[in-house]
Amino acid sequence: AEMELRHKQYNNALDIMRRATTPPGGAREARKNITQAEYDAMPVANKVYKSIKLWTFYCDLEESLGSMESTKKVYNDMLELRVATPQIILNYAHFLQEHKFFEDSFQIYERGVNAFKFPYSREIWISYLTQFIERFKGTKLERARDLFEQVLAEAPKKEAKAFYLMYAKLEEEYGLGKRAMDVYDRAVVGVPVDERLSVYDIYVARAMEFFGVAKVRAVFESAADATDLPSDVTKTLVTRFAEFERKLGELERARALYVHASQFSSPVKDPEFWATWHAFEVQHGNEDTFREMLRIKRAVAAAFADMHFNMTIVDAPTEPAAGATGKNNASTADDDGMDPMARLEAAQQAMPGFVRSHVEGAATTTGKANPDEIDLDGIGGGADGGGDDDAEIDLLGTSVPSTVYGDVQQHTKRDAEDEPLGALDRFKRARGGE
């Protein structure tokens, strides 16, 4: 076909492309559902008609050399054979609009959005809605609203922002301001979290333009009460709300909003917020309100510090080698037949620096014996030293080691020698000396 074009044989080029894009068994045979294995087993000549590159070249030739009807037939054949892409849909609709077939172009858009789903149909929807609004403006408002409701029902959250804004703009220009506010109210919930701040900015600006202070307050209050917003977005919106109230002279409302936003603002990581509140109290507050601001700042700093402390405390990680060793020890103990208490005592004895206390029934440790130690085990017992525990013990007949009262006995003996004796005592001492 390109060779025929280089030789200016345009009709021959069109005939070649027409033959190449004709299904072997006709359009009805081409529309039959076949498996991938059957399609792969087909000869190349039988499936060349599905080539996108071939069809686009054919469309260009028909638009340049053919007629209006022949070009429409090529595009319709592509739609029937399901080889059209979203770009082919856009090209076909644009071709019809150039020739003033607006309703036909809208029908092509409808076929396109029914054939493709998001995200592939996004550009088709944008072009469809834009062309529809430019064509009919506010004359077919209900039809336009139905189209927007249809696209919002199909679009995922990450693709919905552009359509919400287009819908709201349609209501602002051709519909009702109240409906536009309802669309913005749906938009702040229907878009992703990271895009809600920008939607709130547009919402507040339009609310101020159409309804004034009361509506703006309602928008800010709904944002402050929202529980699914990130803390930084809530803090930003509440701070703007406080600035809005300050400009209106509502200082107490502004101060209450600063107090509400302070719970999201760490004095360490967000000094700008506290600088803004500080400037507000310096300009509009008194000593009591300034002290209250400082007290709240200290309380918030302590709360964030405690939160950081609790988040950093973690349990000491257990090393895999230690866990494996513990398992091996447990299995060895089980093999030895030791009970859990015996394994625990063995582990304690193996600990460095561990001093074991007296264990009842344990054997006496060998070492140097104390000569002054009192043998209580042998008192009242038999030859084996293991008498009855309830037997009477003769404490008076038990000798006391000299080391216990050694110093006291020496002082007593010395005092007795120095004391003057009577005649009878001197006589007894003399007889004892003999």
Side-chain angles (χ1 to χ4, degrees):
E2 291 179 350
M3 185 193 69
E4 296 288 355
L5 288 177
R6 285 194 296 268
H7 290 81
K8 298 183 180 180
Q9 300 295 326
Y10 303 119
N11 292 330
N12 293 338
L14 287 175
D15 291 338
I16 292 173
M17 297 305 301
R18 190 176 296 110
R19 288 168 53 195
T21 55
T22 301
R28 178 176 299 179
E29 186 69 21
R31 286 195 297 269
K32 287 184 178 180
N33 294 327
I34 60 176
T35 62
Q36 186 64 32
E38 295 175 350
Y39 181 79
D40 295 338
M42 292 172 58
V44 177
N46 293 343
K47 55 185 179 181
V48 69
Y49 69 94
K50 284 184 173 293
S51 173
I52 300 298
K53 186 176 181 180
L54 202 64
W55 277 104
T56 53
F57 184 36
Y58 187 20
C59 289
D60 293 340
L61 288 180
E62 287 291 350
E63 288 185 18
S64 302
L65 305 174
S67 63
M68 175 69 183
E69 295 299 328
S70 64
T71 304
K72 290 176 63 176
K73 183 179 183 302
V74 172
Y75 279 113
N76 290 328
D77 289 343
M78 293 181 68
L79 293 175
E80 289 292 333
L81 296 176
R82 298 179 182 178
V83 295
T85 63
Q87 187 60 49
I88 295 296
I89 300 295
L90 296 176
N91 294 341
Y92 189 12
H94 182 69
F95 171 78
L96 293 174
Q97 290 171 6
E98 285 182 346
H99 293 81
K100 309 300 181 183
F101 290 93
F102 294 104
E103 284 297 333
D104 291 344
S105 68
F106 295 148
Q107 292 178 4
I108 299 303
Y109 281 131
E110 288 287 347
R111 295 179 66 179
V113 297
N114 291 330
F116 298 97
K117 303 301 179 182
F118 276 90
Y120 308 105
S121 62
R122 180 178 184 276
E123 299 300 327
I124 301 177
W125 272 112
I126 291 178
S127 180
Y128 183 14
L129 295 172
T130 303
Q131 296 296 329
F132 189 89
I133 295 173
E134 289 181 357
R135 172 66 179 169
F136 296 108
K137 299 186 184 299
T139 57
K140 294 187 177 182
L141 188 58
E142 289 300 327
R143 182 179 173 186
R145 287 171 177 169
D146 292 340
L147 291 176
F148 276 110
E149 293 295 338
Q150 180 181 351
V151 66
L152 291 177
E154 297 179 2
K157 281 191 173 184
K158 63 181 180 180
E159 303 286 351
K161 178 181 176 182
F163 300 105
Y164 275 116
L165 296 182
M166 292 176 64
Y167 192 7
K169 186 177 180 181
L170 172 70
E171 295 292 347
E172 291 172 8
E173 294 179 353
Y174 307 109
L176 301 175
K178 184 178 182 301
R179 293 183 66 95
M181 295 298 104
D182 293 339
V183 173
Y184 283 123
D185 200 20
R186 292 168 55 189
V188 297
V189 180
V191 301
V193 176
D194 55 347
E195 296 180 354
R196 292 186 184 181
L197 183 59
S198 59
V199 176
Y200 267 113
D201 292 339
I202 301 174
Y203 190 7
V204 169
R206 295 294 184 268
M208 189 66 187
E209 180 180 355
F210 286 100
F211 295 97
V213 174
K215 183 61 178 178
V216 174
R217 279 180 175 167
V219 174
F220 275 126
E221 288 175 358
S222 64
D225 294 337
T227 58
D228 55 345
L229 287 178
S231 58
D232 54 344
V233 176
T234 303
K235 179 196 63 179
T236 302
L237 292 173
V238 173
T239 305
R240 293 179 183 177
F241 191 12
E243 182 65 17
F244 174 76
E245 294 291 353
R246 186 192 66 82
K247 292 180 180 179
L248 295 176
E250 298 289 344
L251 301 181
E252 292 299 326
R253 292 174 63 92
R255 184 174 290 109
L257 290 170
Y258 279 122
V259 172
H260 177 69
S262 64
Q263 61 181 319
F264 309 109
S265 307
S266 172
V268 178
K269 297 182 180 180
D270 193 9
E272 294 82 5
F273 169 78
W274 295 98
T276 303
W277 192 4
H278 182 277
F280 172 81
E281 294 296 346
V282 169
Q283 185 176 1
H284 303 287
N286 50 38
E287 183 178 357
D288 295 335
T289 59
F290 191 83
R291 287 180 180 274
E292 181 66 14
M293 185 267 293
L294 295 178
R295 186 193 66 80
I296 294 175
K297 184 177 181 180
R298 289 192 299 269
V300 171
F304 274 93
D306 184 60
M307 182 186 304
H308 177 72
F309 178 76
N310 291 334
M311 292 176 63
T312 53
I313 292 180
V314 294
D315 294 333
T318 303
E319 297 183 359
T325 304
K327 291 180 181 179
N328 294 334
N329 293 340
S331 61
T332 303
D334 293 338
D335 295 340
D336 295 341
M338 298 174 62
D339 61 340
M341 284 301 299
R343 290 198 299 268
L344 180 60
E345 290 179 358
Q348 289 177 345
Q349 290 178 359
M351 294 174 59
F354 176 77
V355 180
R356 185 179 182 183
S357 64
H358 171 72
V359 179
E360 184 178 356
T364 307
T365 57
T366 60
K368 185 177 179 181
N370 187 0
D372 296 330
E373 182 180 0
I374 303 175
D375 186 11
L376 297 179
D377 295 334
I379 297 175
D384 56 352
D388 189 5
D389 294 339
D390 296 334
E392 184 177 357
I393 300 176
D394 186 8
L395 296 179
L396 297 178
T398 302
S399 61
V400 180
S402 59
T403 55
V404 178
Y405 300 107
D407 294 341
V408 179
Q409 290 178 353
Q410 292 176 4
H411 287 291
T412 305
K413 184 177 181 181
R414 189 181 301 111
D415 295 340
E417 291 176 353
D418 296 341
E419 185 179 356
L421 302 176
L424 181 58
D425 293 332
R426 288 195 303 271
F427 178 73
K428 288 181 179 181
R429 182 178 295 183
R431 291 190 61 180
E434 294 177 356

